[in-house]
């Protein structure tokens, strides 16, 4: 029972990085279990700001061990850039970072394929981060992928070349001309060359059999926090398919992505924004296209941590939140970014949808495909700043009512409230 899980309950960017960093002093090990550099986890403290893509958010606590689990997919070049940035800022990253040999590699041609598939979809595109996520997980499932542990094998280069040429055949078949296509601003050949150099660097890091590693930690009494990426509504099975990512972002991903059993999991900490955002395409029932949506975006600084794209903003969606709580067995909630709504006179919360002439309070299959018409409760805003350092001393009554309203609706306690991006702007509500 040594493993607690923290995962996102909406469409990602809930603030997972901040809260993992805040909670890390309570743990010995922080482990990422799925996703890849499509993630962008922001951590702010002492006037410094970091965005992590592959490295777990426990890295800023020098006593914590960080594990990149087998369920994660790794782009060696993105990892190298991330490590360089951390090292340049004086953050210790080396002895405290372990990587599962079973984690799959994102090849430069996976990123080409991602771009080619999106290009072919035209207006129907997913809005992928173009980090090669879908194609890499596709190769994993179709048993063609290359793993971190393979780098050491004598035939690695041969397997790499075979996979690359298969990818290039597909790119050609889709008729995607990549001669002018840049990956992170670099022509393909340059990216590939830097990728190869980074691959050599990756091979020198602490590679482990992650499943044995984590069990050894658990047996010796170490406390482990599993850090989710993306959010439950982007889950490959339960999200708004096909507008999803390519991994299980929900609780099952913890077991398959680290090699642990469900019995080892204790707390399931679900994190949500006090409103909703989504980046990329796909249904978003409570999306706002008016000035309130624009206010949430500008005050909440709702621009993608990985791609810089403007995030779509809307009201809190309770049936969707309840769905995510159900899927994950959430034991407690963390509410983020309510400070962004400080000045609003009224706050809407969706409690159901009108669907085929009926009022429903669940997400029907059609929610993946078509717009649902939300039905709202309207609550009074608190119109008071809740954004203070070191927790909030005085809780406006309307704010407390907003939290209690949500707790009652989803029958789950809100134990932590975040009132600003900084580590210190965190309020522990209940023990
Ligand atoms: P993650 O992917 O779940 O880690 O979230 P992101 O880092 O992509 O996005 C969350 C954004 O909100 C980041 O810019 C954070 O610095 C910021 N943030 C986190 N918590 C709060 C909060 O309580 N209030 C405000 N205003 N910003 C927050
Ligand atoms: P974190 O961990 C928000 C979205 C993309 C796109 C869809 C598929 O920071 O919360 P992909 O690149 O996975 O093929 O994109 O999923 N997406 C995210 N949105 N936060 C993320 O991660 C995301 N990772 C992927 O925008 O709509
Ligand atoms: Mg993010």
């Amino acid at each position: 029972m040594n493993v607690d899980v923290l995962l996102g309950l909406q469409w990602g960017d809930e603030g997972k990085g901040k809260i993992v960093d805040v909670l890390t002093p309570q743990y010995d090990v922080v482990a990422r279990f799925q996703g890849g550099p499509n993630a962008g986890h922001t951590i702010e403290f002492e006037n410094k700001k970091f965005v992590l893509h592959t490295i777990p958010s426990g890295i800023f606590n020098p006593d914590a061990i960080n594990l990149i689990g087998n369920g994660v997919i790794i782009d060696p070049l993105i990892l190298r850039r991330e490590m360089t940035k951390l090292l340049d800022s004086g953050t210790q990253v080396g002895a405290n970072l372990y990587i599962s040999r079973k984690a799959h590699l994102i090849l430069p041609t996976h990123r080409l394929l991602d771009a080619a598939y999106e290009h072919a979809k035209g207006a129907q595109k997913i809005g992928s981060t173009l980090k090669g996520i879908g194609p890499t997980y596709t190769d994993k499932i179709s048993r063609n992928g290359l793993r971190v542990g393979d780098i050491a094998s004598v035939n690695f280069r041969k397997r790499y070349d075979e996979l690359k040429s298969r990818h290039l055949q597909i790119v050609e078949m889709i008729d995607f001309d990549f001669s002018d296509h840049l990956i992170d601003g670099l022509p393909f050949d340059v990216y590939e060359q830097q990728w190869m150099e980074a691959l050599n660097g990756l091979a020198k890091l602490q590679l482990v059999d992650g499943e044995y590693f984590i069990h050894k930690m658990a047996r010796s009494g170490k406390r482990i926090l599993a850090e989710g990426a993306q959010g439950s509504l982007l889950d490959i099975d339960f999200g708004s398919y096909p507008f999803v990512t390519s991994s299980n972002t929900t609780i099952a991903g913890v077991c398959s992505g680290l090699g642990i059993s469900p019995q080892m999991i204790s707390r399931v900490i679900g994190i949500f924004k006090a409103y909703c955002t989504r980046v990329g395409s796909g249904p978003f029932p409570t999306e706002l296209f008016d000035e309130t949506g624009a206010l949430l975006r500008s005050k909440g600084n709702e621009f993608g941590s990985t791609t810089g794209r403007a995030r779509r903003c809307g009201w809190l969606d309770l049936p969707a939140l309840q769905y995510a709580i159900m899927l994950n067995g959430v034991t407690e909630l963390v509410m983020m970014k309510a400070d962004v709504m400080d000045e609003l006179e009224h706050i809407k919360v969706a409690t159901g949808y009108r669907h085929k002439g009926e009022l429903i309070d669940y997400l029907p299959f059609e929610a993946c495909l078509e717009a649902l018409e939300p039905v709202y409760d309207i609550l009074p805003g608190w119109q008071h700043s809740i954004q203070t350092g070191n927790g909030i001393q005085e809780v406006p009554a309307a704010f407390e009512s907003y939290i209690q309203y949500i707790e009652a609706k989803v029958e789950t306690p809100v134990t932590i409230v975040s009132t600003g991006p900084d580590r210190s702007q965190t309020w522990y509500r209940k023990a």
Side-chain angles (χ1 to χ4, degrees):
M1 301 285 279
N2 309 40
V3 183
D4 291 344
V5 179
L6 181 138
L7 42 72
L9 299 179
Q10 295 161 322
W11 284 286
D13 301 331
E14 296 89 350
K16 298 174 290 292
K18 166 177 169 169
I19 297 300
V20 168
D21 172 68
V22 163
L23 295 179
T24 297
Q26 300 174 26
Y27 294 91
D28 302 295
V29 182
V30 178
R32 275 276 306 267
F33 56 90
Q34 49 68 232
N38 48 349
H41 295 178
T42 314
I43 291 126
E44 290 191 35
F45 55 94
E46 294 160 10
N47 295 320
K48 288 180 280 191
K49 178 174 171 173
F50 299 91
V51 181
L52 299 175
H53 302 288
T54 316
I55 295 173
S57 302
I59 203 75
F60 300 103
N61 185 321
D63 298 328
I65 287 171
N66 293 270
L67 172 70
I68 301 175
N70 59 280
V72 177
I73 55 177
I74 300 175
D75 183 323
L77 183 49
I78 295 180
L79 176 63
R80 188 180 74 177
R81 289 182 188 147
E82 210 171 316
M83 288 181 70
T84 306
K85 261 195 205 156
L86 289 174
L87 289 167
D88 287 351
S89 74
T91 307
Q92 181 190 325
V93 47
N96 53 351
L97 181 66
Y98 294 81
I99 300 171
S100 168
R101 290 191 180 91
K102 292 192 172 76
H104 278 245
L105 291 169
I106 303 174
L107 272 51
T109 42
H110 282 130
R111 296 198 58 181
L112 267 192
L113 272 179
D114 215 356
Y117 286 138
E118 284 286 77
H119 175 75
K121 278 181 190 276
Q124 295 305 309
K125 70 174 185 185
I126 307 296
S128 157
T129 59
L130 301 179
K131 301 295 176 195
I133 304 300
T136 305
Y137 277 120
T138 301
D139 274 343
K140 173 178 177 174
I141 300 301
S142 65
R143 299 159 296 185
N144 291 308
L146 287 169
R147 300 188 287 182
V148 168
D150 294 327
I151 306 171
S153 77
V154 281
N155 63 353
F156 179 83
R157 188 60 207 225
K158 183 168 169 283
R159 289 176 63 195
Y160 173 89
D161 287 337
E162 280 168 6
L163 195 53
K164 174 182 167 183
S165 78
R166 189 194 312 240
H167 291 161
L168 291 178
Q169 278 170 20
I170 301 172
V171 168
E172 201 178 323
M173 208 172 70
I174 296 176
D175 206 14
F176 179 69
D177 176 11
F178 69 93
S179 50
D180 292 336
H181 181 75
L182 300 178
I183 307 180
D184 294 351
L186 300 173
F188 179 82
D189 291 347
V190 179
Y191 192 87
E192 188 186 37
Q193 195 200 328
Q194 293 190 9
W195 187 93
M196 282 294 174
E197 287 161 19
L199 190 76
N200 291 332
L202 171 56
K204 295 189 187 98
L205 299 178
Q206 303 186 93
L207 310 183
V208 292
D209 296 326
E211 61 280 32
Y212 283 113
F213 181 86
I214 204 125
H215 278 269
K216 198 172 148 200
M217 290 286 162
R219 268 202 311 274
S220 64
K222 304 271 191 241
R223 293 151 307 161
I224 298 156
L225 179 64
E227 172 183 2
Q230 291 80 57
S232 298
L233 303 178
L234 288 171
D235 183 273
I236 183 72
D237 283 286
F238 301 107
S240 44
Y241 191 90
F243 301 102
V244 292
T245 190
S246 301
S247 64
N248 279 119
T249 58
T250 46
I251 193 83
V254 180
C255 297
S256 62
L258 291 176
I260 63 162
S261 76
Q263 288 95 325
M264 287 171 73
I265 298 174
S266 177
R267 294 162 66 193
V268 181
I269 306 163
I271 177 164
F272 72 103
K273 278 180 193 169
Y275 51 95
C276 278
T277 64
R278 174 166 203 166
V279 60
S281 325
F284 181 177
T286 61
E287 183 168 11
L288 287 166
F289 300 95
D290 59 5
E291 65 278 9
T292 308
L295 179 129
L296 294 176
R297 185 172 310 109
S298 64
K299 240 199 118 189
N301 192 21
E302 296 295 0
F303 296 89
S305 314
T306 298
T307 58
R309 292 177 293 177
R311 295 178 183 145
R312 301 154 65 193
C313 298
W315 297 117
L316 183 64
D317 185 334
L318 284 180
L321 184 63
Q322 188 111 51
Y323 181 63
I325 291 171
M326 174 189 85
L327 290 172
N328 294 302
V330 169
T331 56
E332 61 211 85
L333 291 165
V334 179
M335 188 171 90
M336 312 297 290
K337 301 189 86 160
D339 54 288
V340 173
M341 302 201 294
D342 276 354
E343 65 197 68
L344 297 183
E345 202 178 332
H346 298 291
I347 294 173
K348 287 192 186 177
V349 178
T351 54
Y353 317 104
R354 233 178 284 286
H355 176 60
K356 294 182 180 163
E358 265 180 60
L359 189 62
I360 58 169
D361 63 359
Y362 62 93
L363 280 173
F365 180 80
E366 289 81 357
C368 298
L369 311 164
E370 59 193 53
L372 293 170
E373 187 195 336
V375 174
Y376 290 109
D377 271 356
I378 302 179
L379 308 177
W382 42 93
Q383 298 190 282
H384 193 286
S385 172
I386 55 166
Q387 195 181 37
T388 55
N390 298 316
I392 42 182
Q393 275 75 44
E394 238 181 88
V395 184
F399 181 44
E400 179 61 29
S401 301
Y402 184 69
I403 302 171
Q404 286 182 13
Y405 167 89
I406 295 168
E407 286 183 311
K409 286 280 185 192
V410 300
E411 296 175 28
T412 314
V414 174
T415 54
I416 297 177
V417 175
S418 169
T419 58
D422 194 86
R423 201 188 250 178
S424 64
Q425 294 170 305
T426 309
W427 171 38
Y428 293 88
R429 204 160 155 264
K430 291 175 187 166

